[in-house]
Amino acid sequence: MNSKKRIGAGVAVLALLAAALLLREPGSEQEYNARLDGRIFDVAAKAPGLVKKVDVQGDMFVSKDFPLLELDNPEIIREYDQARSSLIAISEGSFAPGASMNVGIGEFEARVAAAADEEALAKKEAGRLSVALAEASFSRRKIEANLNAHGKDKLAHAKMLEETLQASLDEAKARLEQASLNRFRAEQDLNAVKEQRRILSTPQGTEALRQVELESARNKFAASEERVGGLRPLSPVDGYVLDVFVKQGVKVAAGDRLLSIVPLDPEFLWITAFFDEKTAARLSPGDECGIVFNALDGLVLSGKVKSIRPATLAFPLPEDGFSANFGNPENLVPVIVSIDDYDPAQMPQLRLGMTAMVTPKSGEAGSE
């Protein structure tokens, strides 16, 4: 083919392309590469224990609240059994208020005795210092009466001793006053407890105390029930088991990862679509989009723009299968698109990382 023929053929191709562009409707839709992303639920141990049994394996479907595995912890189980037995006993009327009240009285009586002993010691010390101060004062007066015989140095020493004893006595009196106050308050508390016991010894008081003990037993049982429930972790959602990180016979601590689950609920799934800069600039949150999964026999879903990332994804992309699908050399803007009409019970299973094509339904966003 000579140069004139090649030029003529090129002009014809350009004319066809121009005609196609002119005939294209302003609202015609364009497809953009996308992938399926979502939240992965990590199930962690709520209580320490030994893995007794694992009921699931990778890629297994589990419904919400399905038992995933079982841990063994004898101490937690024993606490649960004791709390349950105590709650049943009090609920059925097996209640002895005297025992619990005697414990309280004994504690208050011990406080009174200790306060009385402290007061006695403080009184004894204050008395000793009072006698010592009186003797020091008498000695200082004798020296002053016959200063020529004793000298000024001895008088100065006597005055210093008297001042030191006076300061010590003041401190001892302050301690005695505080000790007396402590003893008085302890006696008041003891008398209040005795009066409370007298009131509680009546039928009405006994029932009131039983209700208090019953509420306490319920709280303890609820706490122990929650702990023992942690030995049987349940699936937080409907989904597929992605990874199992433990096996039978392994010890785990509270907080250790046990397994991960990929949810089926579209609430936890989304599409990350990659739009060219011009199209992304015309998109707004709430714009409708069509989603096509070619790997699932052209499964078509609908969604809406949730957010537009503030940065572009510039080429070159990593050399992987997903990146190889991109044919547009321009910078790409990641856009998060919801999945609104996916029904996991009626449609093929979606897997994180699947590729899709997204088409903005807005005429403005899809137009040239």
Side-chain angles (χ1 to χ4, degrees):
M1 182 183 294
N2 57 34
S3 59
K4 291 183 178 180
K5 290 182 178 180
R6 286 197 295 269
I7 293 173
V11 170
V13 171
L14 290 174
L16 290 173
L17 290 174
L21 291 173
L22 289 173
L23 291 173
R24 184 177 182 178
E25 297 180 3
S28 60
E29 299 173 341
Q30 300 181 51
E31 295 181 333
Y32 294 88
N33 296 282
R35 67 163 178 261
L36 178 66
D37 291 321
R39 175 182 173 184
I40 296 178
F41 284 80
D42 284 329
V43 179
K46 294 182 179 179
L50 181 72
V51 178
K52 187 176 180 180
K53 183 174 62 172
V54 179
D55 297 315
V56 296
Q57 57 187 2
D59 209 34
M60 175 179 171
F61 171 77
V62 291
S63 58
K64 185 178 180 181
D65 295 330
F66 182 84
L68 301 172
L69 49 83
E70 184 177 355
L71 303 176
D72 184 32
N73 187 315
E75 181 180 352
I76 291 178
I77 296 174
R78 182 170 57 253
E79 289 177 356
Y80 169 80
D81 291 338
Q82 291 174 349
R84 182 174 179 272
S85 299
S86 177
L87 177 58
I88 291 175
I90 297 176
S91 299
E92 294 179 349
S94 300
F95 176 66
S100 60
M101 288 191 292
N102 286 336
V103 172
I105 289 178
E107 291 176 354
F108 282 96
E109 288 177 339
R111 282 179 51 191
V112 171
D117 289 342
E118 182 181 354
E119 182 184 28
L121 290 174
K123 187 179 295 185
K124 183 178 179 180
E125 178 65 10
R128 184 189 69 80
L129 289 171
S130 295
V131 173
L133 178 60
E135 292 176 348
S137 298
F138 179 73
S139 178
R140 186 257 310 160
R141 289 195 296 271
K142 283 177 61 177
I143 294 172
E144 286 178 339
N146 195 3
L147 184 58
N148 292 333
H150 298 286
K152 292 182 179 180
D153 290 341
K154 196 169 184 179
L155 177 60
H157 177 74
K159 287 182 177 180
M160 183 180 297
L161 177 60
E162 185 179 16
E163 292 173 357
T164 301
L165 289 171
Q166 183 63 59
S168 298
L169 179 59
D170 292 340
E171 292 177 1
K173 287 181 177 180
R175 287 195 297 270
L176 175 59
E177 183 179 356
Q178 184 61 49
S180 299
L181 180 61
N182 292 341
R183 188 260 309 156
F184 175 73
R185 288 174 176 172
E187 288 176 345
Q188 280 189 320
D189 292 341
L190 176 59
N191 292 333
V193 170
K194 287 181 177 179
E195 177 62 16
Q196 184 182 47
R197 183 185 180 188
R198 185 192 66 78
I199 295 173
L200 292 175
S201 64
T202 65
Q204 297 83 355
T206 300
E207 177 58 23
L209 184 59
R210 191 185 78 85
Q211 290 298 327
V212 171
E213 294 291 337
L214 181 59
E215 182 65 21
S216 176
R218 285 172 177 164
N219 292 337
K220 289 180 181 178
F221 176 72
S224 66
E225 188 177 34
E226 183 176 356
R227 292 195 70 196
V228 81
L231 300 178
R232 202 77 169 101
L234 307 177
S235 175
V237 291
D238 293 342
Y240 283 84
V241 176
L242 180 62
D243 293 301
V244 180
F245 304 112
V246 296
K247 59 183 179 180
Q248 185 176 346
V250 173
K251 289 183 178 180
V252 297
D256 286 353
R257 291 175 69 196
L258 302 175
L259 49 86
S260 57
I261 297 175
V262 178
L264 290 180
D265 192 330
E267 177 186 355
F268 305 110
L269 301 173
W270 63 86
I271 293 291
T272 303
F274 298 87
F275 291 87
D276 62 68
E277 294 175 295
K278 292 182 180 179
T279 301
R282 293 191 291 269
L283 289 174
S284 300
D287 286 351
E288 295 185 357
C289 297
I291 306 164
V292 179
F293 290 91
N294 293 324
L296 299 178
D297 298 326
L299 174 65
V300 179
L301 300 174
S302 63
K304 294 183 180 66
V305 173
K306 294 180 67 176
S307 64
I308 303 171
R309 297 293 171 86
T312 64
L313 178 65
F315 277 82
L317 290 171
E319 295 182 0
D320 55 30
F322 177 67
S323 303
N325 292 331
F326 290 100
N328 188 348
E330 299 179 8
N331 286 357
L332 301 177
V333 179
V335 177
I336 305 303
V337 178
S338 66
I339 301 176
D340 296 341
D341 55 354
Y342 176 61
D343 183 357
Q346 304 293 331
M347 299 179 181
Q349 178 189 347
L350 296 180
R351 295 182 181 273
L352 300 190
M354 278 185 168
T355 58
M357 301 301 294
V358 172
T359 302
K361 295 297 184 179
S362 167
E364 181 184 356
S367 64
E368 289 293 335

